[in-house]
Amino acid sequence: MGRVYIVGAGATKIGEHWDLSLRELAADASRKAIEDAGISKRDIQAIFVGNMSSGYLQGQEHLGSLIATWLGIPGVAANKIEAACASGGAAVHNAYLAVKSGIYDCVLAVGVEKLTEATTSDVTSALIMAEDQEYVAFAGFSFVALNALVYRAYMRKFGAKQEDIALFAVHDHNYAANNPLAQYPRPVTLDEVLKSPPVADPIRLLESAPLGDGSAALVLCSEEKARRLGKDVLIELAGSGLATDILSLHDRPDLTTLAATVKAKGSAFKQADIEVKDVDVLEVHDAFTVLGVIHLEDLGFARKGEGWRLLKEGQLEKDGDIPTNTMGGLKARGHPVGATGVYQVYDLVVQLRGEAGANQVPDPEVGVAQNVGGVGGTVVVNVVKRVR
Amino acid sequence: MGRVYIVGAGATKIGEHWDLSLRELAADASRKAIEDAGISKRDIQAIFVGNMSSGYLQGQEHLGSLIATWLGIPGVAANKIEAACASGGAAVHNAYLAVKSGIYDCVLAVGVEKLTEATTSDVTSALIMAEDQEYVAFAGFSFVALNALVYRAYMRKFGAKQEDIALFAVHDHNYAANNPLAQYPRPVTLDEVLKSPPVADPIRLLESAPLGDGSAALVLCSEEKARRLGKDVLIELAGSGLATDILSLHDRPDLTTLAATVKAKGSAFKQADIEVKDVDVLEVHDAFTVLGVIHLEDLGFARKGEGWRLLKEGQLEKDGDIPTNTMGGLKARGHPVGATGVYQVYDLVVQLRGEAGANQVPDPEVGVAQNVGGVGGTVVVNVVKRVR
C-alpha cells in the first residue's frame, strides 16, 4: 500500500464560540487546512467528520453532506465517524484507510464539536453516552464519576499522591500559555489545582478537561499527490492504530490500565516501524490528570505505577526525555470532544514543522498522538514522521 | 489494490423488537453473518457500525466498543459511521476501504437501528436531523413533507399519475410476502394504497416506508482470506461509490433528480467495470414510492420522467428487464434507517447465491444497491458480483 501524507492542517481557537455554528466551525478549520495544503478545495475527494454529539446537542445529523455543502464542494464522498471522545482520532484513522485503499487520493479529516451552548446537564447526558446507557448511565454515574474511580484505584494500587498526579494540569497550562488556539492560555499553580472545587472526589475542577467548542482539520493525500505539491517538509501519517476494550469499567480486570492503548499503540507502531525510544513528541488524552499518567505507562514511556514520576522529574518538558502535550493538552488547549483527536495530530504537525514558537521541541522527527473514547472503550494512536 | 469479498451475511427480521435492545439486534445479525462466513469471531479485525439515531433515541453512542464488547471480541477496531438513512451503505463503503487499504483483511459491516420504542414525535425529530436543522427543521418541515414536495414536483414536471407511481408499494409488498425477514410480508392492492390515510399530501401512508427495528451484517474480506474459506460461490463487493449533494432541497436546481445518485453510481460502476445493461438485480431506496421511481431514472434504467413506466410494464418483476426490490424494498421488507443499506446488500447476496426462494431472479450475476441519506444529501451505490 502507498504511504499517506498530511499536507495541510488547520484549526480554530477552542472556546465558547457562541457566534459560530457547528458547520461554521468545521468549515473554518477545513478552509485553513485546505489553504495550508496549497490545494484547491476541489481537490478534496472525501470528508471524514469526527463528531460525537451533534444529534443530541444540535439536533443535527448528516454532518458529511452538511459540511461538504457548507464548504461549497457538495458531490464529494462524506460521512461522520463516531467513537465517543475518540471520534476525531477515528476520523483520521478512516481517512488514512481511505487514502491507503487507493480509492481516494486526497481527503479531509475534520473533527468538530460544540458543547458550550447546551446546558451542563445536557452535556453531562451527552458525555455519559460514551459509556453503557443501560448498565452504567441508568445507575446514575456521570463520566467524571467513572474517572474518579480510576483515580482512587490508581492511588491505592501504586501509592501515588494526588499532588504528584495533579501536576499534569500545571504542566498543560504552562504550555497552553504560549498556544494562541488554547482555550485557557494561562498558567495555574499546583496549589490552585488542589484547592479548586471537587467535581467527583478526588478529581478537582482544575484536573478536568474543560468544555469547549472547536474544530481541527487535516488534508491527507497519497505520496504521488504530496510530492506534486513540492513542500519543503513532508509529514507522513506513518501509522494509525484503533482498538477497543470492554466498554464498561465494571467488566474489566484492572482499572489502572487501558488495554486498548496497548493494542492501538502496538498496531500503529508496527505500521510506522518505530519503537518507544524513537518518539520525539507525544500527545496523550489527559481528560483527567490521572488518565494522562496512566497513558504514559500504557504507551511504554514509564513502568506501571510510575508515570507520575516523569512529570515530577520534568521529563515531559519540551527539552525532556519525552516532551508531552506541548501545546496544552486536553486540560488547557481544550477538549472539544469529537475534534480532540484531530487537534492532537494538528499540534504534532506544528511541532514537526518547527512552528511551535516558545513551545518548540528541539528538532522533532517522530510524533505520537493517543486519543481515548469513553474510559478507554476506544483508543486511537496516530504516528507522524517528518520526511524530506 | 486487492479485491474485496462478502463471505458472510446475516440479518434479523425487521419489526417491533421490544424484547431486544439495540446491541442485541446488532449482535444477532453479526453472529449470523460470522456463522454464515464459516469463520471464528476472532477472525474479525474491525467493525463498522451503520447507525443514525442511537444517541438521540437510545441515549447511547460509542456503538463500536459496545457491539465489539457484546460480541465478545473487545480489542478489535470499531467505530460508528453516520450518513443519515445512508449510514448502512456508508458503513459498507468504509468497510470496503478498510479491506482495500490492506490494513485489515477481515471486517464486519453491521447496520442497526431501533425506532419503535420511541414516541412518533421523537422519531420524527430524529429523522429530520437528516436535513438542515437550522434552515429547514426549525421552519417546521418533517422529512415526509420534504418528500411530498418532490412528489408534487415530479408529477407536475412529467405529467405522471399517482396511481402509476404508487404501484411501487404494491410491487414491494408482493415480494415481501415471500421474505421471512420482511416487516410486512403480505400483499396490498393499489386501491388500498391510494385510499390509505394521507401523511403529507400527496404521500399516502402505504406509499411510505414503515418504522421498524432491525439489523443486518456482512463479513468482508480480502481475496486471499476469501479463497482460503473454500466457498463454492464467492460474492465480490466489486465497487462502492459514495457521493453527497447540496443538503437542502431549497438550494438545488432540480427536485426531480438526485445528483448524488448519478455521481455515486458513476464511481461504483467504474470500479466494478460494469454498465447499466450488466445489472441483473437491483435494490433502490424507495423510502417513498416516488423516490423509487426517481432512482430508476438517476441510475440509468429509465429515461427521465419515465421510471414509473418500468413498474407499469412489469419490468421490475423477478423475470423482467431489471428485477428490483425483489425482497420487499424499503416499503415492505422495512427501513430500519441505519441498517437499510446493509439489508439491501444482504438481499443481493441472497439473490446471487440463488437462495431467494419464490422471489429468485433467474441466475443473477451482478447486483446493485442504492442507499439514500436525507433526500439525497448522501447516496451510496454498492455493486456485487458473483464469481466462481
Side-chain angles (χ1 to χ4, degrees):
Chain A
M1 284 74 60
R3 293 171 186 272
V4 179
Y5 292 85
I6 299 171
V7 298
T12 69
K13 182 175 167 69
I14 300 175
E16 298 191 11
H17 290 295
W18 292 20
D19 54 337
L20 292 174
S21 66
L22 190 81
R23 74 188 75 188
E24 289 169 323
L25 282 168
D28 187 8
S30 298
R31 280 195 209 100
K32 285 177 178 161
I34 290 166
E35 187 182 358
D36 180 55
I39 61 172
S40 156
K41 66 184 180 185
R42 303 199 187 284
D43 290 325
I44 301 293
Q45 298 166 333
I47 304 175
F48 296 85
V49 182
N51 172 269
M52 180 180 176
S53 298
S54 69
Y56 188 72
L57 295 178
Q58 278 83 41
Q60 183 69 64
E61 293 290 358
H62 213 174
L63 297 189
S65 174
L66 179 76
I67 293 171
T69 300
W70 212 247
L71 280 174
I73 49 172
V76 300
N79 47 219
K80 165 173 159 175
I81 310 290
E82 189 277 322
C85 320
S87 299
V92 173
H93 182 74
N94 281 269
Y96 171 79
L97 298 177
V99 175
K100 265 207 166 340
S101 75
I103 299 291
Y104 301 110
D105 75 358
C106 189
V107 308
L108 184 73
V110 52
V112 62
E113 200 86 49
K114 199 157 169 55
L115 300 173
T116 73
E117 279 174 299
T119 64
T120 309
S121 163
D122 277 350
V123 173
T124 301
S125 297
L127 294 180
I128 195 62
M129 293 185 195
E131 243 283 4
D132 194 317
Q133 182 62 254
E134 294 176 17
Y135 290 78
V136 176
F138 274 18
F141 277 91
S142 70
F143 194 64
V144 62
L146 294 169
N147 284 277
L149 291 177
V150 172
Y151 206 151
R152 286 200 170 280
Y154 186 89
M155 289 196 293
R156 187 178 312 121
K157 184 166 180 181
F158 300 114
K161 291 177 188 153
Q162 184 157 11
E163 59 258 38
D164 293 333
I165 294 166
L167 273 174
F168 225 119
V170 178
H171 172 87
D172 276 11
H173 273 272
N174 277 340
Y175 285 90
N178 303 312
N179 179 359
L181 302 185
Q183 182 167 9
Y184 293 116
R186 54 176 178 269
V188 297
T189 65
L190 181 60
D191 195 52
E192 285 171 321
V193 175
L194 294 174
K195 286 185 178 158
S196 62
V199 185
D201 193 52
I203 296 178
R204 298 275 160 170
L205 182 65
L206 290 184
E207 293 187 272
S208 314
L211 302 180
D213 311 327
S215 178
L218 301 168
V219 176
L220 270 57
C221 68
S222 64
E223 177 149 19
E224 189 194 340
K225 176 99 183 164
R227 296 282 175 202
R228 257 186 285 146
L229 293 173
K231 303 259 179 192
D232 292 337
V233 178
L234 273 182
I235 309 287
E236 183 184 359
L237 181 55
S240 181
L242 192 156
T244 53
D245 191 4
I246 296 166
L247 180 60
S248 295
L249 295 182
H250 61 253
D251 282 331
R252 294 192 199 156
D254 185 350
L255 295 188
T256 63
T257 182
L258 300 189
T261 298
V262 178
K263 186 151 193 238
K265 174 225 162 189
S267 169
F269 277 37
K270 190 176 170 192
Q271 290 166 39
D273 192 23
I274 62 161
E275 297 174 38
V276 165
K277 66 174 172 52
D278 299 322
V279 182
D280 300 315
V281 55
L282 178 65
E283 287 282 323
V284 296
H285 190 103
D286 61 328
F288 302 95
T289 51
V290 71
L291 269 294
V293 167
I294 288 173
H295 303 331
L296 291 169
E297 300 166 7
D298 289 337
L299 289 166
F301 294 97
R303 276 184 297 188
K304 208 60 223 167
E306 300 193 353
W308 55 273
R309 290 189 195 272
L310 299 186
L311 263 169
K312 209 169 178 180
E313 294 165 3
Q315 295 185 28
L316 305 189
E317 304 297 339
K318 64 185 178 185
D319 55 357
D321 275 0
I322 180 60
T324 299
N325 290 8
T326 59
M327 301 306 281
L330 274 69
K331 174 62 199 81
R333 176 197 58 226
H335 179 30
V337 176
T340 292
V342 187
Y343 271 102
Q344 292 179 314
V345 179
Y346 173 89
D347 286 348
L348 293 178
V349 168
V350 168
Q351 281 286 0
L352 264 59
R353 285 177 177 173
E355 297 170 352
N359 292 349
Q360 185 63 49
V361 171
D363 200 32
E365 293 185 352
V366 174
V368 168
Q370 179 240 23
N371 183 206
V372 179
V375 193
T378 301
V379 174
V380 187
V381 173
N382 286 310
V383 179
V384 291
K385 281 184 181 177
R386 191 184 64 200
V387 290
R388 298 286 169 190
Chain B
M1 286 76 58
R3 293 171 185 273
V4 179
Y5 292 85
I6 299 171
V7 299
T12 70
K13 182 175 166 70
I14 300 174
E16 298 191 11
H17 290 295
W18 292 20
D19 54 336
L20 292 172
S21 66
L22 190 81
R23 73 187 76 187
E24 289 169 324
L25 283 168
D28 187 7
S30 299
R31 280 194 210 99
K32 284 175 178 163
I34 290 166
E35 187 181 358
D36 179 56
I39 60 173
S40 156
K41 67 184 179 184
R42 301 196 190 286
D43 290 326
I44 300 292
Q45 299 167 334
I47 304 174
F48 296 85
V49 182
N51 172 269
M52 180 179 176
S53 297
S54 69
Y56 188 71
L57 295 177
Q58 279 84 40
Q60 183 68 65
E61 294 291 358
H62 213 174
L63 297 189
S65 174
L66 178 76
I67 292 171
T69 299
W70 212 246
L71 280 175
I73 48 171
V76 301
N79 46 219
K80 165 173 158 175
I81 310 291
E82 189 278 323
C85 319
S87 298
V92 174
H93 182 73
N94 281 269
Y96 171 79
L97 297 178
V99 175
K100 264 207 167 338
S101 75
I103 299 291
Y104 302 108
D105 75 358
C106 188
V107 309
L108 184 73
V110 53
V112 62
E113 200 87 48
K114 198 158 170 52
L115 299 173
T116 73
E117 279 175 300
T119 63
T120 309
S121 162
D122 277 350
V123 173
T124 301
S125 297
L127 295 180
I128 196 61
M129 293 185 195
E131 243 283 5
D132 193 316
Q133 183 62 253
E134 295 177 17
Y135 290 79
V136 175
F138 275 18
F141 277 91
S142 70
F143 194 64
V144 62
L146 294 169
N147 284 277
L149 292 177
V150 172
Y151 207 151
R152 287 201 170 280
Y154 185 90
M155 290 196 292
R156 188 177 311 122
K157 184 166 181 180
F158 300 114
K161 290 176 187 155
Q162 184 158 11
E163 59 258 38
D164 294 332
I165 294 166
L167 273 174
F168 226 119
V170 178
H171 172 88
D172 277 10
H173 274 271
N174 276 341
Y175 284 90
N178 303 312
N179 179 359
L181 302 185
Q183 183 167 8
Y184 293 115
R186 54 176 178 269
V188 296
T189 65
L190 180 60
D191 195 52
E192 286 171 321
V193 175
L194 294 174
K195 286 184 178 157
S196 63
V199 185
D201 193 52
I203 296 177
R204 299 273 159 172
L205 182 64
L206 289 184
E207 293 187 272
S208 314
L211 302 180
D213 311 327
S215 177
L218 302 167
V219 176
L220 270 56
C221 69
S222 64
E223 179 150 19
E224 190 194 338
K225 176 98 184 165
R227 297 282 175 201
R228 258 186 283 147
L229 294 173
K231 303 259 179 193
D232 292 337
V233 177
L234 273 182
I235 310 287
E236 182 185 359
L237 181 55
S240 182
L242 193 158
T244 53
D245 190 4
I246 296 166
L247 180 59
S248 295
L249 295 183
H250 60 253
D251 282 330
R252 294 192 199 156
D254 185 350
L255 295 189
T256 63
T257 183
L258 300 189
T261 298
V262 177
K263 186 151 193 235
K265 174 226 164 190
S267 169
F269 278 36
K270 189 176 171 192
Q271 291 166 38
D273 192 23
I274 63 161
E275 297 174 39
V276 165
K277 65 175 172 49
D278 299 322
V279 182
D280 300 315
V281 55
L282 178 66
E283 286 283 323
V284 296
H285 189 103
D286 61 327
F288 301 95
T289 51
V290 71
L291 269 294
V293 167
I294 288 173
H295 302 330
L296 292 169
E297 300 166 6
D298 289 337
L299 288 166
F301 294 96
R303 274 183 298 189
K304 208 58 224 166
E306 300 192 353
W308 55 274
R309 290 188 196 273
L310 299 186
L311 263 169
K312 210 168 177 180
E313 295 164 2
Q315 295 186 27
L316 306 188
E317 304 297 337
K318 63 186 178 184
D319 55 357
D321 275 1
I322 180 61
T324 300
N325 290 7
T326 60
M327 301 305 281
L330 274 69
K331 174 62 199 82
R333 176 197 58 226
H335 179 31
V337 176
T340 292
V342 188
Y343 271 102
Q344 292 179 314
V345 178
Y346 173 90
D347 285 349
L348 294 178
V349 168
V350 168
Q351 282 285 2
L352 264 58
R353 286 178 176 173
E355 297 170 352
N359 292 349
Q360 185 63 49
V361 171
D363 200 32
E365 293 185 352
V366 174
V368 168
Q370 178 240 23
N371 184 205
V372 179
V375 192
T378 301
V379 175
V380 187
V381 172
N382 286 308
V383 179
V384 291
K385 281 183 181 177
R386 191 183 66 201
V387 290
R388 297 287 168 188

